[in-house]
Amino acid sequence: MLVLNNIEVVFDNVILVLKGISIEAKEGAITTILGANGAGKTTTLKGISGLLRPERGDVTRGSIEYNGERIDQLSAHETVKKGIVQVFEGRQVFEHLTAEENLIAGGHIVSTARMKENLEKVYEYFPRVYERREVQAGYLSGGEQQMLAIGRALMSDPKLVLFDEPSLGLAPMIIEEIFGIIKRLNKEENLTVLLVEQNATLALNIAEYGYVMENGSIVLEGSAEALRENADIKEFYLGISSGEKKSFRDVKHYRRRKRWLG
Amino acid sequence: MEWQFLFELSVNGLLTGMMYALIAVGFVLIYKSTDAINFAQGEFVMIAAIVVAGMATNYGFPLIAAIAVGLVFMIVFNLALERFVLRPMIGRPIVAIIMATIGLALVLQGAGPLVFGAGTKPLDIGVPDEPLIIGPLFMTPIDVVGAAISIAFLAVFGWFFMKSRKGVAMRAVADSHMTSIAMGINVERYFALAWILAGVVALLGGLVWGSAIGVDTQMAALGLKVFPVVILGGLDSIIGVVIGGLIIGLVEALAAGYVDPFVGGGTKDFTPYVLMILVLMFRPYGMFGKPIIERI
Ligand SMILES: Nc1ncnc2c1ncn2[C@@H]1O[C@H](COP(=O)(O)OP(=O)(O)OP(=O)(O)O)[C@@H](O)[C@H]1O
Ligand SMILES: [Mg+2]
């Protein structure tokens, strides 16, 4: 459904952030991108949804294809119309709008009748948001805001949703609930999901396929099952150590050199 | 007798206050949706009035046609301004945009008289001059009409802004450009809409204020009056603008009625700014503005 073909992203014409990324998100599947801070995960998602331009970034090489059609030069409001929507890192609700107004804004591109149907559907998935619909979104709890942000994304009838670290800063119980809902959306609404996470355990639990990103490149990919069993993943992301303790950076560089750079 | 005087001052002050609100709402509209502070809003009002009065007196246009020309002029002018001057400045420091609007204000002050002549022009929108007397109360008809137009515009605009889907989108844009873009909202189109509305409301302001005080470059000073109004009401709240306008109108009228006779006049002109400074000292968001929501 979505294919990133060796893309390169440059900010301000000089800062090379993505150095040839190839990723595929299969229709109806959950695909995850793992990686530490600054790896380029968010940049990858923004490249797909057309949000680089406002930050003076550009896809300078490679292509992004969605259902066989190139979308790398589209602006965000065009990609939304094609059925791709991004749920931002750190939630980013419209703070001064009520929860319901946030949802209405999320359904901006659909007809009023369709918007009302979608509103019902979102409230079914997120009864908590329904209870808080009259409240200014800025005053919702972190978990409620994340649910609102996801619900808002669903309002535009997306086929592909890009989640950027939905677990960020939330309590374990809430995270579990949210990941459960992502899985349900994937199954019940046949939603294709591209999930960026630092929490590898959670992500690999619901995903079918995963990529590991470091420093603007993909360093590892495979089925979720294979990645769960991978020694590096275990050590760096799942926190299961198989030997003496070293600092995160040291281990990472040592391992990386050993495994991928010779 | 004393109470009657107070009552009459208050009513007239409140009417003037509603007319201030009509000017201030244009300012708030731009601030809310684009984050830009438009120092030229007073000049918009002036130039709209100059165009209408100029078409009517210099070229003999009937009132309706003159207003139509004024409307088209304001829409085209503000669209061009947004497209060619302000949009390229998006993302630059806000001070650059502020400077641009100050420059624009001065250009308009110079250019208006250049085209239509510098003298004060009358603007007659068909409101009689004789005072309106209801019981013991004296009112100026144009103030009543101005306040009514202001209330009507604010009601329609308030509905649009708070209840309609486009209004929600407009407020979403005001809240976060980036997130709005991600929702498929064409942010630039909403910027343009905000400037069009600011042009339309400036025309309404120009009509009522032009009829009340005559049309010349002095009208631009109304833009300065608007600062205490929006500071009092909060730069981002529409209800606040109405209340801010009413308070300033009231304070001015009371100062003129009770203080001026003792000091020989003039307090009316600066009391609004004294109030503004006091509010800034104690309520930095204005009396009704929303605080920035901070939650971590
Ligand atoms: N607008 C920008 N201009 C310049 N450099 C940028 C810009 N946005 C991101 N970068 C750089 O690109 C790199 C990758 O950033 P990105 O936000 O994609 O990382 P990430 O994997 O999402 O990290 P995190 O887990 O912290 O969110 C970082 O080094 C960052 O400094
Ligand atoms: Mg990120």
Side-chain angles (χ1 to χ4, degrees):
Chain A
M1 173 172 236
L2 178 79
V3 181
L4 275 63
N5 203 341
N6 203 20
I7 64 159
E8 206 174 82
V9 167
V10 174
F11 282 105
D12 292 316
N13 294 322
V14 288
I15 308 166
L16 177 66
V17 169
L18 296 189
K19 304 158 185 165
I21 299 269
S22 296
I23 284 173
E24 184 177 1
K26 288 217 165 64
E27 179 145 19
I30 299 181
T31 308
T32 185
I33 305 176
L34 307 171
N37 291 114
K41 307 181 296 296
T42 299
T43 305
T44 307
L45 295 190
K46 285 186 173 162
I48 299 165
S49 55
L51 285 165
L52 289 175
R53 214 88 48 78
E55 296 191 354
R56 287 182 297 167
D58 201 11
V59 179
T60 49
R61 189 178 297 176
S63 65
I64 304 177
E65 280 170 29
Y66 175 69
N67 293 332
E69 187 187 351
R70 278 190 75 154
I71 57 164
D72 34 284
Q73 299 306 322
L74 295 187
S75 61
H77 58 88
E78 293 166 319
T79 58
V80 174
K81 290 204 178 102
K82 298 226 176 277
I84 304 173
V85 67
Q86 180 173 350
V87 179
F88 284 120
E89 182 177 8
R91 307 182 276 278
Q92 307 293 341
V93 295
F94 297 116
E95 291 190 333
H96 299 105
L97 273 58
T98 65
E100 180 151 309
E101 287 168 346
N102 266 268
L103 296 177
I104 293 171
H108 184 74
I109 63 159
V110 300
S111 71
T112 302
R114 186 75 192 142
M115 189 269 288
K116 288 190 172 137
E117 284 171 33
N118 289 351
L119 206 55
E120 295 302 312
K121 191 175 73 186
V122 168
Y123 285 148
E124 268 168 43
Y125 275 98
F126 301 102
R128 198 112 46 104
V129 174
Y130 178 73
E131 282 164 30
R132 307 276 274 154
R133 67 190 180 283
E134 306 286 350
V135 179
Q136 263 192 44
Y139 293 112
L140 299 182
S141 74
E144 289 164 347
Q145 287 188 350
Q146 186 60 267
M147 293 178 188
L148 179 59
I150 296 173
R152 186 180 59 184
L154 298 176
M155 291 295 295
S156 62
D157 283 333
K159 305 284 175 291
L160 168 66
V161 180
L162 317 171
F163 289 94
D164 198 350
E165 300 196 37
S167 73
L168 194 72
L170 300 181
M173 287 250 297
I174 305 282
I175 297 178
E176 213 163 290
E177 192 178 338
I178 282 171
F179 274 63
I181 289 170
I182 294 176
K183 189 75 197 173
R184 260 181 70 201
L185 288 167
N186 166 249
K187 285 272 163 295
E188 293 169 16
E189 311 286 328
N190 194 31
L191 203 65
T192 307
V193 172
L194 185 56
L195 171 67
V196 156
E197 259 302 337
Q198 294 203 42
N199 190 329
T201 318
L202 282 165
L204 292 174
N205 261 336
I206 66 166
E208 276 103 70
Y209 200 84
Y211 296 85
V212 179
M213 196 171 205
E214 249 177 49
N215 250 318
S217 307
I218 300 291
V219 291
L220 185 63
E221 65 169 279
S223 71
E225 211 172 318
L227 290 179
R228 274 198 297 267
E229 297 309 316
N230 183 287
D232 287 339
I233 298 275
K234 270 188 176 159
E235 195 159 348
F236 311 135
Y237 293 102
L238 306 185
I240 307 163
S241 176
S242 57
E244 77 211 65
K245 262 204 160 356
K246 303 169 195 132
S247 91
F248 184 84
R249 268 202 98 76
D250 290 346
V251 179
K252 196 153 123 175
H253 280 134
Y254 162 72
R255 283 278 185 181
R256 237 183 71 190
R257 192 164 301 120
K258 194 168 129 195
R259 294 232 150 201
W260 297 295
L261 302 177
Chain B
M1 195 59 220
E2 185 54 24
W3 283 109
Q4 212 170 301
F5 182 54
L6 175 64
F7 183 60
E8 186 161 317
L9 282 177
S10 305
V11 168
N12 283 296
L14 293 174
L15 291 176
T16 312
M18 277 316 295
M19 288 166 67
Y20 283 144
L22 188 59
I23 313 268
V25 75
F27 188 88
V28 169
L29 195 60
I30 295 302
Y31 179 73
K32 268 197 79 87
S33 41
T34 69
D35 281 342
I37 293 182
N38 178 21
F39 277 87
Q41 189 68 30
E43 279 73 13
F44 284 5
V45 173
M46 173 202 79
I47 203 82
I50 287 184
V51 170
V52 174
M55 294 315 284
T57 51
N58 294 18
Y59 300 101
F61 275 49
L63 181 68
I64 287 295
I67 291 175
V69 172
L71 186 64
V72 170
F73 174 82
M74 287 312 290
I75 290 174
V76 171
F77 180 81
N78 274 10
L79 267 181
L81 181 70
E82 192 278 328
R83 181 69 191 81
F84 298 112
V85 181
L86 297 157
R87 194 182 299 175
M89 297 180 75
I90 290 173
R92 303 251 204 97
I94 202 79
V95 69
I97 296 175
I98 292 176
M99 289 302 160
T101 67
I102 291 176
L104 175 73
L106 295 171
V107 170
L108 288 178
Q109 287 208 30
L114 216 63
V115 178
F116 288 105
T120 303
K121 289 183 195 32
L123 181 60
D124 182 8
I125 57 171
V127 179
D129 285 333
E130 309 83 55
L132 204 63
I133 305 168
I134 303 174
L137 193 62
F138 276 64
M139 289 182 291
T140 319
I142 186 63
D143 286 2
V144 178
V145 171
I149 288 178
S150 177
I151 290 168
F153 178 84
L154 288 168
V156 171
F157 176 68
W159 175 85
F160 167 80
F161 202 58
M162 297 311 291
K163 296 288 175 214
S164 74
R165 283 182 75 191
K166 282 201 159 55
V168 169
M170 216 167 160
R171 282 184 291 136
V173 169
D175 203 299
S176 163
H177 298 169
M178 195 65 175
T179 313
S180 302
I181 296 173
M183 300 293 101
I185 298 172
N186 189 338
V187 169
E188 287 166 352
R189 196 176 301 164
Y190 281 88
F191 284 174
L193 179 62
W195 284 96
I196 288 176
L197 285 171
V200 172
V201 73
L203 178 76
L204 289 176
L207 290 177
V208 297
W209 278 101
S211 308
I213 62 177
V215 176
D216 56 29
T217 51
Q218 293 287 316
M219 278 184 89
L222 282 169
L224 291 178
K225 264 295 162 41
V226 152
F227 287 101
V229 172
V230 295
I231 294 301
L232 231 66
L235 263 169
D236 48 16
S237 141
I238 288 181
I239 286 295
V241 158
V242 174
I243 298 173
L246 292 178
I247 293 174
I248 293 297
L250 195 60
V251 164
E252 266 191 5
L254 296 180
Y258 287 110
V259 186
D260 277 1
F262 297 105
V263 297
T267 53
K268 170 180 184 287
D269 296 329
F270 69 80
T271 38
Y273 301 99
V274 173
L275 206 59
M276 173 175 92
I277 291 167
L278 286 176
V279 167
L280 282 175
M281 284 166 67
F282 296 109
R283 300 262 336 198
Y285 299 116
M287 301 239 283
F288 305 96
K290 57 200 171 191
I292 293 157
I293 297 173
E294 283 180 39
R295 105 190 300 298
I296 301 146

